[in-house]
Amino acid sequence: MYAEAENLLSSARYFEALHREELDFSDKQPGEVFACLTQNRTCGELISQDKTVYGEIPKCRECVSAQQNGRSSDRLCRFQDFRTFIFRRNVVKPSVGFLKYSYISNPEEFEPWLPTKSALQTSPEKLKLSAGKMLSNVGDCFCRIVREEQEVLDLHSKSCEVQNYKPSVAYKRLPPLVRDICDVCETTLFNLHWICKECGFGVCIDCYKENKADEERDPDDKALLRRRIWPPCTKENPDHCSTDLMLTQLIPGSLLFDMSEAMHALRDELKREWRAGQPVIVSNIGKRMDLSLWRPSKFSDDFGEEEHDLVNCLTDKVLVNQPMKKFWDGFDDKKKRMLCGNGLPMLLKLKDWPPGADFADVMPDRFRDVMQALPIPPFTRRDGIMNLASYLPSQFLPPDLGPKMYIAYGSAGNPMLGTTNLHLDISDAVNVMAYVGSSGELQDELKKATRALMLAGVDLSTLEAINETDRLPGALWHIYEAKDAPVIRRFLRKIAAEKGHRVKADSDPIHDQQTYLDDTLRERLREEYGVLGYGFVQCLGDAVFIPAGAPHQVRNLLNCIKVAEDFVSSETLEKCFELTKEFRRLSAAHANREDKLQIKNIVYQSIRQALSVLLPETILFVCVFVGIDFGPANMQRTEKHLDAALDAMIQRVTDLKNAIAQVIAKIDVERDTLKWPSLLDSYGLL
Ligand SMILES: [Zn+2]
Ligand SMILES: [Zn+2]
Ligand SMILES: [Zn+2]
Ligand SMILES: [Zn+2]
């Protein structure tokens, strides 16, 4: 029997436990261990490979559903590279457990997490300029994340103590280029999370905490009970209960806490700097672009034959799968536009085109053209050193930062209609006006546009400048400061109530994006709530910066083609982080609900970069060493090691200072009789 088993194991991936006593023997069987290995294929493949050995182990939920739907679960299997098997002599069935970071002997596996010089993604000289600022801005956020994680560990240790278990944390390798998400709220799993040993179901620490709190509040409350129901397990008793789940980490050992220690030591020396919170416009970047690429006729030539969804802004109805030629033909010619039921020309916008993250593939020339023209490149480019999103290493699924296009007919004559209703975004963005055109009656349209701008409170000097330079006024923007969002929400709820609309509990009047604040509503917002936004016009070639979390709305006065790129700056990071939490609560129907930015990963990696460049090598070494060698249960030891390293360094600096002071004193007194070589020797300065 076991020749067969050994044979089978020869192709498997062994793990080498650093500390054998830590091996996960859940069934406590006796017998000499002869092989430890991690599951190196999907559950389905493993079981079909040898039914006598693996026949009774549970399949993960992905493998079960893949089998039901007749597809492959490759790369999705929850237990691949994670579940472990320990084989003993004379025992056919292995003990089943899960990987721990201490089983891994190859430190290269931890590379994506460590603050080493090899982590640097730009030159150290360049990064040194921004690392200080990064620590001071991102640090608070990082600290908050670390505190939350520490709380989870503390609670876990306590409950293990009560039940007389040794606290342990499983370690899951980062799945390459897959965003691991919470099965309940779909937020990105950052580090600690809870996993079902039977089916691999995973919940984030927030969902877990909420579930536990509800359970403790009143176990029989029907409403709470309903909220507490999680997606079912694949085993016979299908209820997932918080107490059955296994705590799992993605960042190895105590490294997260070591990084936090090191960060505090460095940051306390640094000062706070400015934080931006207002929109900024940079004019004339069109000069750096090839504007011929962005003409409607060029788009029509390149993509006219393809089909896509259109939205009629007059009725909010979606026209599915229309040949785009129809849209482009009417773009600059009102007479060629499709008609509504009442015979009026439609007011169309192209819905999310090109879809998803395809921009660079679908139109590489335009991609290059806009990216090289973006103003303030350290913030806006994908590799910009102030763009924190650039610090995600290549092992992570890159966040979708765009660019995205906003293409719509203008509506100077419809002051109540927005092209993009009031909403807010989770990251910073820069929006470039690449084309502005009239629908054939320019003078009339300009008159209406000027009137709209005056009503919107755009200042006179701007209006004059537009008239003098013949710059076509493309879009009217209103941006409010992020801090005003809660008040604006109250206002929108009041309006909804006045209209007799009911607002559901898991909806949000800003995120729902149902309202355009026209002149009357903006005036009411100012009078009744004291909230005033910034109204301004975006002309051809203007780039508008929108800070994360700032509510904004757009109304095209003439026909516009805009292109926008997202980025993450340390100035608004705190806001991004809060927003991610807020978005978690939205109903599943919201496109914005997912944590597409992976904000916690961005925070972690930014701190890692800053530490990589700022930490002296000695501390770095200790940090790396400690990170690999001690588990979360040994935090005390870790702290001692760091303290010892710091003490040693401070002592060395003090010694040097004293030595120099003594030398100077001696030189003063014995200037004439001094023998240099012996002096330097005796003070150990060489
Ligand atoms: Zn599986
Ligand atoms: Zn969750
Ligand atoms: Zn389960
Ligand atoms: Zn937006």
Side-chain angles (χ1 to χ4, degrees):
M1 179 69 236
Y2 71 56
E4 203 178 304
E6 293 220 39
N7 195 14
L8 170 166
L9 294 173
S10 64
S11 62
R13 179 174 185 172
Y14 286 79
F15 62 81
E16 179 82 34
L18 289 181
H19 310 289
R20 280 233 154 194
E21 70 276 12
E22 280 191 31
L23 286 178
D24 201 348
F25 296 112
S26 39
D27 51 2
K28 301 271 188 299
Q29 284 189 28
E32 184 202 345
V33 171
F34 79 90
C36 308
L37 57 122
T38 36
Q39 178 173 335
N40 68 335
R41 56 202 73 193
T42 66
C43 307
E45 287 164 350
L46 189 77
I47 292 168
S48 62
Q49 183 189 26
D50 193 330
K51 285 227 167 61
T52 45
V53 177
Y54 296 112
E56 282 161 27
I57 64 155
K59 276 187 199 165
C60 80
R61 55 199 301 111
E62 295 291 351
C63 286
V64 169
S65 98
Q67 190 185 27
Q68 283 161 359
N69 300 315
R71 53 179 172 76
S72 153
S73 58
D74 195 29
R75 290 183 67 200
L76 293 174
C77 172
R78 306 277 175 111
F79 292 149
Q80 194 165 358
D81 252 1
F82 181 43
R83 190 156 53 182
T84 60
F85 302 102
I86 296 170
F87 286 85
R88 294 181 181 79
R89 302 241 172 251
N90 304 322
V91 185
V92 176
K93 301 249 189 302
S95 312
V96 180
F98 290 88
L99 198 64
K100 288 192 194 161
Y101 90 98
S102 57
Y103 293 3
I104 292 166
S105 55
N106 176 11
E108 268 172 37
E109 281 218 14
F110 302 135
E111 213 288 319
W113 303 111
L114 296 174
T116 54
K117 295 287 181 229
S118 63
L120 292 178
Q121 304 207 348
T122 33
S123 76
E125 290 68 37
K126 260 170 129 188
L127 192 62
K128 255 183 191 142
L129 297 174
S130 61
K133 192 165 165 193
M134 205 141 88
L135 277 190
S136 83
N137 286 335
V138 186
D140 286 343
C141 209
F142 184 62
C143 208
R144 224 165 109 184
I145 296 173
V146 173
R147 264 204 309 274
E148 281 177 10
E149 299 268 319
Q150 183 67 58
E151 257 171 48
V152 174
L153 271 188
D154 290 348
L155 279 176
H156 178 59
S157 314
K158 242 185 242 157
S159 76
C160 287
E161 216 172 278
V162 172
Q163 296 167 55
N164 213 4
Y165 286 134
K166 201 173 126 204
S168 83
V169 181
Y171 169 70
K172 196 162 183 214
R173 291 187 173 101
L174 197 68
L177 296 178
V178 177
R179 195 158 57 86
D180 235 352
I181 59 173
C182 168
D183 282 320
V184 179
C185 74
E186 291 175 4
T187 197
T188 303
L189 297 175
F190 162 66
N191 177 35
L192 288 177
H193 58 287
W194 300 85
I195 288 186
C196 170
K197 292 181 185 179
E198 296 285 325
C199 72
F201 164 81
V203 271
C204 73
I205 54 180
D206 290 316
C207 286
Y208 184 88
K209 207 159 50 181
E210 283 168 13
N211 186 289
K212 260 208 123 117
D214 284 352
E215 192 178 83
E216 277 156 21
R217 209 175 304 153
D218 181 0
D220 298 321
D221 183 317
K222 286 268 160 56
L224 290 181
L225 205 64
R226 223 173 300 126
R227 199 163 80 178
R228 253 171 46 213
I229 293 178
W230 280 338
C233 191
T234 51
K235 67 176 181 211
E236 270 167 40
N237 171 15
D239 289 338
H240 276 128
C241 166
S242 63
T243 47
D244 296 340
L245 302 178
M246 164 178 71
L247 188 59
T248 304
Q249 61 177 191
L250 294 171
I251 301 177
S254 61
L255 181 59
L256 179 68
F257 305 101
D258 300 338
M259 296 256 294
S260 158
E261 290 287 316
M263 182 200 74
H264 279 107
L266 281 175
R267 195 177 65 145
D268 291 347
E269 296 156 24
L270 299 163
K271 285 175 197 144
R272 278 172 191 285
E273 286 178 53
W274 65 278
R275 279 166 202 242
Q278 293 181 0
V280 177
I281 310 170
V282 179
S283 285
N284 287 327
I285 75 151
K287 279 185 192 150
R288 296 203 294 271
M289 292 168 71
D290 176 2
L291 292 176
S292 69
L293 285 172
W294 304 89
R295 288 201 190 109
S297 56
K298 186 83 170 73
F299 279 106
S300 189
D301 289 348
D302 292 350
F303 305 101
E305 302 308 318
E306 291 174 24
E307 293 185 347
H308 199 76
D309 293 356
L310 306 174
V311 181
N312 183 2
C313 297
L314 292 173
T315 56
D316 234 3
K317 290 235 166 68
V318 179
L319 292 76
V320 290
N321 293 339
Q322 298 293 312
M324 280 195 279
K325 193 171 183 321
K326 281 199 202 166
F327 173 82
W328 289 116
D329 282 349
F331 197 81
D332 279 347
D333 190 347
K334 215 170 191 165
K335 292 195 268 326
K336 289 189 184 161
R337 288 186 180 173
M338 291 192 266
L339 300 179
C340 299
N342 58 11
L344 286 174
M346 288 187 185
L347 191 62
L348 293 176
K349 69 175 171 186
L350 205 47
K351 193 178 157 65
D352 303 326
W353 182 83
D358 293 351
F359 194 109
D361 298 332
V362 176
M363 37 188 114
D365 295 347
R366 292 178 181 90
F367 176 73
R368 270 193 301 277
D369 191 48
V370 69
M371 292 310 279
Q372 57 80 33
L374 288 180
I376 326 188
F379 282 88
T380 53
R381 295 228 181 124
R382 293 187 175 184
D383 58 354
I385 61 166
M386 302 306 286
N387 184 359
L388 302 184
S390 73
Y391 295 122
L392 270 190
S394 55
Q395 291 92 336
F396 290 78
L397 184 72
D400 175 14
L401 300 173
K404 294 233 178 330
M405 300 247 273
Y406 296 87
I407 307 173
Y409 299 173
S411 59
N414 293 299
M416 321 256 288
L417 265 190
T419 311
T420 304
N421 285 340
L422 190 75
H423 71 286
L424 57 81
D425 299 300
I426 200 161
S427 52
D428 301 308
V430 55
N431 183 306
V432 176
M433 184 68 85
Y435 175 86
V436 178
S438 133
S439 318
E441 298 151 352
L442 182 62
Q443 287 319 313
D444 180 50
E445 287 168 60
L446 279 180
K447 232 183 266 163
K448 285 178 183 157
T450 310
R451 195 182 134 69
L453 293 177
M454 279 163 63
L455 276 173
V458 173
D459 64 281
L460 279 177
S461 58
T462 312
L463 288 178
E464 278 164 15
I466 290 173
N467 282 335
E468 277 165 21
T469 52
D470 284 335
R471 299 173 69 215
L472 291 181
L476 170 62
W477 284 70
H478 286 96
I479 300 191
Y480 294 84
E481 285 184 41
K483 68 170 171 52
D484 291 330
V487 179
I488 294 176
R489 268 192 194 102
R490 280 216 299 281
F491 175 61
L492 292 177
R493 286 221 171 83
K494 181 166 154 188
I495 293 173
E498 286 171 9
K499 287 185 186 159
H501 297 169
R502 225 166 59 88
V503 183
K504 282 197 225 117
D506 62 351
S507 76
D508 178 300
I510 294 182
H511 301 323
D512 288 352
Q513 214 173 324
Q514 293 296 318
T515 316
Y516 180 77
L517 299 176
D518 61 15
D519 299 320
T520 322
L521 289 177
R522 286 198 310 275
E523 184 53 27
R524 276 188 63 185
L525 180 59
R526 191 183 67 80
E527 273 197 352
E528 295 169 29
Y529 291 85
V531 170
L532 190 62
Y534 305 84
F536 56 92
V537 59
Q538 183 187 23
C539 299
L540 178 64
D542 285 354
V544 176
F545 280 82
I546 311 123
H552 57 284
Q553 61 178 20
V554 188
R555 186 178 144 214
N556 284 4
L557 299 170
L558 299 179
N559 311 318
C560 298
I561 299 179
K562 305 185 213 100
V563 50
E565 170 81 0
D566 293 344
F567 59 95
V568 181
S569 72
S570 61
E571 280 77 11
T572 55
L573 187 90
E574 194 92 40
K575 201 77 223 168
C576 291
F577 186 60
E578 276 169 30
L579 285 170
T580 309
K581 299 222 151 197
E582 206 173 277
F583 277 75
R584 258 187 76 245
R585 298 184 186 289
L586 292 177
S587 70
H590 274 270
N592 270 337
R593 179 167 172 258
E594 269 182 72
D595 167 27
K596 290 196 178 112
L597 271 183
Q598 318 172 43
I599 198 71
K600 286 186 178 180
N601 284 334
I602 288 179
V603 170
Y604 182 93
Q605 294 296 341
S606 305
I607 292 293
R608 173 176 172 240
Q609 290 288 312
L611 291 185
S612 300
V613 72
L614 291 179
L615 279 181
E617 289 288 351
T618 27
I619 297 208
L620 247 182
F621 173 75
V622 174
C623 191
V624 170
F625 173 76
V626 168
I628 291 179
D629 243 78
F630 300 100
N634 295 322
M635 259 318 280
Q636 293 308 108
R637 269 156 79 190
T638 307
E639 269 171 27
K640 271 195 209 124
H641 271 80
L642 265 177
D643 284 352
L646 265 173
D647 284 351
M649 276 190 40
I650 293 167
Q651 190 55 49
R652 196 169 144 64
V653 173
T654 318
D655 288 352
L656 262 171
K657 261 162 113 185
N658 288 341
I660 292 168
Q662 284 180 35
V663 172
I664 292 170
K666 201 169 169 69
I667 293 172
D668 260 3
V669 178
E670 303 173 25
R671 197 171 317 202
D672 301 327
T673 57
L674 220 55
K675 283 202 185 86
W676 283 98
S678 73
L679 174 98
L680 292 179
D681 268 358
S682 59
Y683 287 93
L685 279 177
L686 283 182

